Amino acid sequence: MKFRYIDENIISLILGLQILLSICWLPFAILWYGLNESSIIFIIVIGSVFSIAIAVESSIKNINPIYIKAAKTLGAKGRRIYIDVILPASMPGFVAGMKQGWLFAWRALMAGEMLSATTGLGQILIMGRDLSDISQVIVIMLFIIVLGLIVENLILGKIEKNIRNRWE
């Protein structure tokens, strides 16, 4: 189930774009969307989509070949192999990619808000810096950490746990 063209061309491009920090896209986003929330949303999407794509590709590539051979032996062909074998077997890697994508998106949101937003946690952080209020900066940083961990544990952690339980 290899796609040689994707392996040789698209994955290298995606990996190269993932290496580029999402905040580097901010000038482009501001020129394209203006100085508003659309540019921050663009930064968030750019910050997460490539890591998710790499994780999904890696997950599919690392599926145990015995699963595919067994499905073919049982008569599965074409699309059924993807639906019944590859998609379920790649779900743990997909969820791991979603977790990583969430972390990149969260960081991109904070960076985008610090540079171009008029409201938000990133802007409050910058306001604390401008006012030389270290206590405000520390409180906002701790709040960002706590909020990120809550989302990670309550949403993505439960999804990951459910998928692991299905595969045990």
Side-chain angles (χ1 to χ4, degrees):
M1 295 292 147
K2 300 249 184 199
F3 293 98
R4 176 169 268 140
Y5 179 80
I6 292 175
D7 278 346
E8 292 175 354
N9 298 300
I10 306 296
I11 297 303
S12 296
L13 176 64
I14 291 173
L15 185 59
L17 291 171
Q18 174 61 31
I19 291 169
L20 184 64
L21 296 173
S22 57
I23 201 63
C24 293
W25 290 93
L26 186 66
F28 177 77
I30 291 172
L31 289 172
W32 204 2
Y33 295 108
L35 194 56
N36 57 34
E37 289 182 10
S38 296
S39 61
I40 295 173
I41 291 170
F42 176 79
I43 297 301
I44 293 167
V45 170
I46 282 291
S48 61
V49 74
F50 298 126
S51 64
I52 294 169
I54 291 168
V56 168
E57 185 269 340
S58 177
S59 179
I60 289 171
K61 190 184 282 186
N62 292 318
I63 291 174
N64 191 339
I66 197 76
Y67 296 158
I68 297 168
K69 289 177 185 176
K72 286 180 179 178
T73 301
L74 294 172
K77 295 180 185 174
R79 193 175 5 196
R80 293 302 330 164
I81 292 174
Y82 285 98
I83 293 170
D84 295 335
V85 178
I86 293 176
L87 183 62
S90 65
M91 286 307 291
F94 179 73
V95 171
M98 292 297 290
K99 287 176 69 172
Q100 186 177 23
W102 152 250
L103 296 172
F104 279 118
W106 186 236
R107 290 184 345 189
L109 172 64
M110 292 304 113
E113 284 183 354
M114 284 194 292
L115 294 173
S116 71
T118 56
T119 60
L121 293 174
Q123 186 58 36
I124 296 170
L125 193 63
I126 291 299
M127 190 170 33
R129 181 206 66 187
D130 291 344
L131 297 173
S132 298
D133 186 357
I134 192 68
S135 61
Q136 180 178 342
V137 170
I138 292 172
V139 167
I140 295 300
M141 288 172 66
L142 291 173
F143 185 75
I144 290 169
I145 292 169
V146 169
L147 191 58
L149 288 173
I150 287 171
V151 171
E152 160 71 26
N153 290 324
L154 290 181
I155 298 172
L156 296 171
K158 286 184 179 183
I159 293 171
E160 185 177 33
K161 183 178 178 181
N162 288 338
I163 289 175
R164 272 198 203 130
N165 289 341
R166 287 184 187 173
W167 280 93
E168 286 181 351

